[in-house]
């Protein structure tokens, strides 16, 4: 089991794109800054989608520019396509991630591209990345979404995920991640699919799981992922977010609960969970009508709890 | 990993003792019957505590008598002491379980007995059990409560848990279980403590975990327990319950989410999760003011979900 775990905060992107309210730019900046001060070292700060599609993400370039000024932070943005990649590169992201839905039906509904078209798009983006000067070349990751099942198609064949992971790497992506967009995954399936994909593309090219807590299994799936050597987990402060295009899919795993669990297990996240819990106040004030999730925030830390790194 | 998992439903005891309302006897019977019809084969139906202390449990003898008429059900009752054991045996339980708090402070607060007094009580109960005719001799289990930490003492030394587990078996108990009464446990701790206790008393004498979801880690801890060969998990329908004497400790793991997870993992619980979800309606009607928990009930089963045994 890896001893140092990277938490990639996705709330400013996945969380905010899922709610109707547009969070003011200054509140986004305060949120990101406060997480960095709590020790978070990677944040997906926004999405380069057309503003008319997701007005919540219209200020992403400004947010990227701000986040780049924060010390020790890797700034990630989601991109839907080549056009988004161009904007992300122009904004100066450290890393960009495109979702590639393993369910072809979901892919067509979500971004109007079948699997072949998505692989072409990934290849074009990889070529664009490769053409950048090395100093400003972002890390390009592909998130294999609906990898554990789809709310439209139902089960997604594992062989298909493996095949598309191979095609993604062959097309030039630096890395793939597995996303349980729909909250369908179970720990046995996580172990099996991680193992299969790693066997196909190599151990070093799959490090990230993006898990949802839709059916309460989010952290159980993290445990399974840890055992297969996964070292990066996406999570969202207050459990904000899900996928707006996958009906019924709600609830990223809660960053606070994840950090508590990992630190309690003796793994190092670099995050001060007490400071992290205080960041919730920013969301409470900026999103007064949104329910904020999390068990650890409600229950408090155990009496005598000590951080792994303390 | 064990392929067949026993779910021990503790809602009618742990759930109902934690709420103020007294559930009518007929509603308790309907609940228990409906769970048996969904395939649940072990239910902790009540507690032989003094009725003036917990009026919610005053009808336990009647509930035991009723539950004994249901085919294929092991009827469990909680007992606080020798007096409770006598009543449980008179009522004809199949199994009785006494909580033994690993935190001495909690033990004294909860049942006014220090550790030495508890071991004496366990020995007296074991002798009473041994004196029964073999046909009506109940299985006598000791639940090592606050085994993963205490809301009053904080961390509980693992060596102390191991030592008291040994003393419990030496005193004549048939089996011990580990209880995370306070919701402090994490998966690494579960693995480590299960391993240590098994090493001390033998693999066959620790089969059960009683986990809470206070900090959202309940199912993650189940996964850790499964890996250490644990084959029985307590859970409560709708997540009712906690420990009324451990402040801040709330929330048994939710039976519905647990069954969904295990069946999705390909493990056999013998329980039909769709039928189980329907049992919630009985609680909704009988306890109209209680919040009912569970992620899977809210989200529904995944599209195309198939039971392990189907």
């Amino acid at each position: 089991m890896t001893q140092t775990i990277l938490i990639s905060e996705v709330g400013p992107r996945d969380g905010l794109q899922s709610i109707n309210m547009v969070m003011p730019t200054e509140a986004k900046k305060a949120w990101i800054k406060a997480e960095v001060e709590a020790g978070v070292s990677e944040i997906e700060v926004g999405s380069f989608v057309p503003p008319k599609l997701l007005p919540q993400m219209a200020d992403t370039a400004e947010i990227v520019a701000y986040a780049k000024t924060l010390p020790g932070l890797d700034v990630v943005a989601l991109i839907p396509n080549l056009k988004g990649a161009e904007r992300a590169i122009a904004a100066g992201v450290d890393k960009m991630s495109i979702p590639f839905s393993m369910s072809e039906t979901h892919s067509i509904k979500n971004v109007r591209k079948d699997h072949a078209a998505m692989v072409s798009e990934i290849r074009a983006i990889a070529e664009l990345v490769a053409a950048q000067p090395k100093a400003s070349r972002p890390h390009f990751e592909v998130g294999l979404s609906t990898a554990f099942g789809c709310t439209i198609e139902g089960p997604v064949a594992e062989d298909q995920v493996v095949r598309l992971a191979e095609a993604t790497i062959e097309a030039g992506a630096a890395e793939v991640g597995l996303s349980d967009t729909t909250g369908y995954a179970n720990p046995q399936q996580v172990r099996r699919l991680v193992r299969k994909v790693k066997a196909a593309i190599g151990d070093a090219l799959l490090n990230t799981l993006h898990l949802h807590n839709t059916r309460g299994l989010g952290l159980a799936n993290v445990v399974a992922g840890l055992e297969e050597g996964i070292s990066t987990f996406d999570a969202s402060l207050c459990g904000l977010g899900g996928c707006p295009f996958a009906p019924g899919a709600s609830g990223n795993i809660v960053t606070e609960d994840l950090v508590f669990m990992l630190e309690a297990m003796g793994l190092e996240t670099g995050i001060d969970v007490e400071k992290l819990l205080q960041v919730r106040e920013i969301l409470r004030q900026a999103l007064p009508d949104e329910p904020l999730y999390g068990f650890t925030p409600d229950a408090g830390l155990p009496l005598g709890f000590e951080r792994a790194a303390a």
Side-chain angles (χ1 to χ4, degrees), chain A residues 262-310:
Chain A
L262 296 174
E263 291 282 328
M265 291 174 77
L267 301 170
E268 292 186 16
T269 64
I271 299 171
D272 181 327
V273 66
E274 299 197 7
K275 280 192 188 165
L276 188 70
L277 290 169
Q278 291 164 15
V279 184
R280 293 169 68 89
E281 195 51 37
I282 295 171
L283 273 69
R284 193 171 288 118
Q285 288 182 17
L287 306 170
D289 299 329
E290 286 300 319
L292 305 184
Y293 302 102
F295 285 85
T296 308
D298 282 348
L301 294 170
L303 183 64
F305 174 73
E306 285 181 27
R307 285 180 66 198

Side-chain angles (χ1 to χ4, degrees), chain A residues 98-291:
Chain A
I98 187 170
F100 178 11
S101 187
M102 301 294 92
S103 154
E104 197 155 30
T105 317
H106 179 256
S107 185
I108 291 166
K109 276 220 170 191
N110 199 356
V111 295
R112 297 180 196 171
K113 287 193 180 71
D114 64 13
H115 282 160
M118 277 302 301
V119 173
S120 299
E121 195 82 13
I122 289 164
R123 192 180 308 277
I125 296 167
E127 284 166 4
L128 175 70
V129 169
Q132 304 307 309
K134 204 168 182 185
S136 62
R137 196 180 293 166
H139 189 72
F140 174 41
E141 184 179 313
V142 176
L144 307 179
S145 59
T146 69
F148 299 93
C150 169
T151 51
I152 309 163
E153 284 195 4
V156 168
E158 293 179 354
D159 289 353
Q160 179 163 310
V161 178
V162 170
R163 186 171 51 74
L164 294 171
E166 288 175 316
T168 297
I169 295 298
E170 191 277 327
E175 201 182 322
V176 299
L178 293 176
S179 299
D180 182 23
T181 318
T182 56
Y184 275 24
N186 70 71
Q188 200 63 29
Q189 187 185 16
V190 168
R191 282 196 202 100
R192 196 173 53 229
L193 190 57
V194 169
R195 218 173 286 173
K196 282 186 183 179
V197 172
K198 282 188 170 218
I201 65 173
D203 205 55
L205 299 185
L206 168 60
N207 301 296
T208 301
L209 288 180
H210 176 96
L211 299 166
H212 284 195
N213 200 33
T214 317
R215 286 165 186 84
L217 275 56
L219 295 184
N221 290 332
V222 169
V223 170
L226 287 171
E227 284 160 6
E228 297 300 328
I230 293 294
S231 57
T232 303
F233 295 91
D234 290 355
S236 176
L237 199 81
C238 304
L240 273 185
C243 173
F245 303 103
S250 66
N252 285 293
I253 55 172
V254 176
T255 310
E256 302 90 306
D257 290 342
L258 175 63
V259 172
F260 163 64
M261 181 175 85
L262 296 174
E263 291 282 328
M265 291 174 77
L267 301 170
E268 292 186 16
T269 64
I271 299 171
D272 181 327
V273 66
E274 299 197 7
K275 280 192 188 165
L276 188 70
L277 290 169
Q278 291 164 15
V279 184
R280 293 169 68 89
E281 195 51 37
I282 295 171
L283 273 69
R284 193 171 288 118
Q285 288 182 17
L287 306 170
D289 299 329
E290 286 300 319

